[in-house]
Amino acid sequence: MKVDNKKLGFNLNFFAMGILFFSFFISFLLTNKTTYNFSTLGTHKTPIQIFIQIISHNYLIFLACLISYVFGRWIIIINLSLNMMQLGYILGSSANAILTFIMLLPHGIFEMPAILIMANLCWKGPEWALQNKKNFFRIFLLANLLLVIAAIIEAIYIFIVK
């Protein structure tokens, strides 16, 4: 019996998305409704220090995706699930989840696509990256550019809010 790789990939994508949404909603629902204070993120820090802290965290996410080349694709799903749980915690613990979501949206427009692009690159595997080096590096640079833009927006926002 022949396996249809396109159908298998399609089903795996829905499975992965299900895990991500499940991890977000569990985290959101199990969080105590307290006030999440954004101003503590940038206390006693310059905008450059805030930017370095944010970009370091974001590049750890990229590194975890790249580690999947060695340890397997399941690392990508765990990595994205942990980030969705973090988002669920922040929204779940805020007094006004809609306002918090609106405040997170400007940098999230750049950060989420960057993380998903990187996860997609790593999901394709090292064979694809080696066969399509030019495309791999173009897409990799695009993801990095989006990530830097997101970190700049987030650092400015945190500095202004504090």
Side-chain angles (χ1 to χ4, degrees):
M1 184 168 156
K2 187 176 178 184
V3 177
D4 184 5
N5 287 332
K6 287 184 180 180
K7 187 174 182 181
L8 178 63
F10 184 75
N11 289 337
L12 286 175
N13 285 337
F14 272 109
F15 176 72
M17 291 301 289
I19 290 173
L20 297 180
F21 284 115
F22 178 76
S23 59
F24 168 80
F25 285 116
I26 290 296
S27 178
F28 180 81
L29 294 173
L30 295 180
T31 305
N32 292 331
K33 297 293 181 197
T34 59
T35 304
Y36 187 82
N37 189 358
F38 282 96
S39 62
T40 60
L41 295 174
T43 307
H44 308 297
K45 293 184 180 178
T46 67
I48 299 297
Q49 290 171 322
I50 296 169
F51 172 78
I52 291 171
Q53 178 183 0
I54 292 166
I55 201 76
S56 298
H57 173 262
N58 290 345
Y59 276 115
L60 283 175
I61 296 167
F62 270 26
L63 179 64
C65 285
L66 289 173
I67 288 173
S68 70
Y69 282 157
V70 176
F71 294 107
R73 293 179 176 157
W74 58 273
I75 295 284
I76 297 169
I77 294 176
I78 291 172
N79 183 18
L80 293 176
S81 294
L82 290 174
N83 279 290
M84 292 299 284
M85 289 176 81
Q86 183 181 15
L87 179 62
Y89 170 77
I90 291 170
L91 293 178
S93 63
S94 67
N96 187 344
I98 294 172
L99 179 63
T100 303
F101 178 77
I102 291 170
M103 291 172 24
L104 291 172
L105 192 59
H107 92 278
I109 289 171
F110 294 97
E111 187 174 315
M112 285 308 294
I115 292 170
L116 293 174
I117 288 169
M118 189 63 185
N120 188 27
L121 275 181
C122 293
W123 191 265
K124 290 181 178 187
E127 300 84 18
W128 183 89
L130 291 173
Q131 291 172 354
N132 301 290
K133 290 177 189 172
K134 193 173 183 180
N135 285 338
F136 175 83
F137 285 112
R138 283 182 183 169
I139 297 169
F140 185 78
L141 289 174
L142 171 66
N144 278 283
L145 176 65
L146 290 172
L147 198 64
V148 169
I149 292 170
I152 290 169
I153 292 170
E154 191 174 2
I156 291 170
Y157 176 78
I158 289 171
F159 186 74
I160 290 172
V161 169
K162 75 172 185 172

